[in-house]
Amino acid sequence: MGDFIGGMLKYLRSHPVERVTIAGGVAKMTKLAQGMLDVHSKKGLADLEALAALAAEAGGDDNLATAIRQANMVAHAFQLAEDTGIDLGAIVAEKAWITAAAALNTPAIALDIVVFDRQGALKGRTASTPSHQPAASSFGERNRRT
């Protein structure tokens, strides 16, 4: 699928499979979490302000939010969050699932999201859940906003 998550999900609506996993790096999955279905760098940048808000939603303090806003890359923002014990990957995976599930909108297809850093380390994931049900992640239900 490359950068064209929306095109892949549209294709799957008319050519369903049992399960689809969308896996990607922290920047592309952050873009998906922010509602972008084409995550190519030419189509837009990840919004560090929105990422700072997600970190605050996950329990981060004002210092962390400020540092994320000033980060030079999404990977740096993830590292800042991790250094303070905030699991930004889980909430990004959850928000990305919500975006992808809305675009897929096919109850027969189970959907899960997996987020990795550049070294291949797992940073977040959702459970494989039918695309018409709420996603489950390690971040938890208390922070779900749609």
Side-chain angles (χ1 to χ4, degrees), residues 1-105:
M1 101 188 148
D3 295 323
F4 308 108
I5 296 170
M8 183 261 306
L9 294 172
K10 181 179 178 183
Y11 178 84
L12 289 174
R13 285 195 307 258
S14 58
H15 300 84
V17 296
E18 185 175 314
R19 175 181 177 187
V20 64
T21 299
I22 300 174
V26 294
K28 291 191 186 296
M29 293 300 99
T30 295
K31 289 180 184 183
L32 182 60
Q34 294 169 348
M36 295 180 202
L37 292 171
D38 180 347
V39 295
H40 190 279
S41 60
K42 292 181 182 177
K43 292 295 182 178
L45 300 173
D47 182 349
L48 291 173
E49 181 69 38
L51 201 53
L54 288 180
E57 184 178 318
D61 63 16
D62 290 340
N63 292 333
L64 176 59
T66 298
I68 288 174
R69 284 185 204 98
Q70 297 171 353
N72 60 346
M73 297 182 342
V74 171
H76 183 221
F78 267 71
Q79 186 60 54
L80 292 166
E82 187 174 306
D83 290 348
T84 62
I86 299 299
D87 190 359
L88 197 52
I91 193 169
V92 164
E94 184 175 340
K95 300 291 185 180
W97 187 96
I98 291 167
T99 299
L104 183 58
N105 195 23

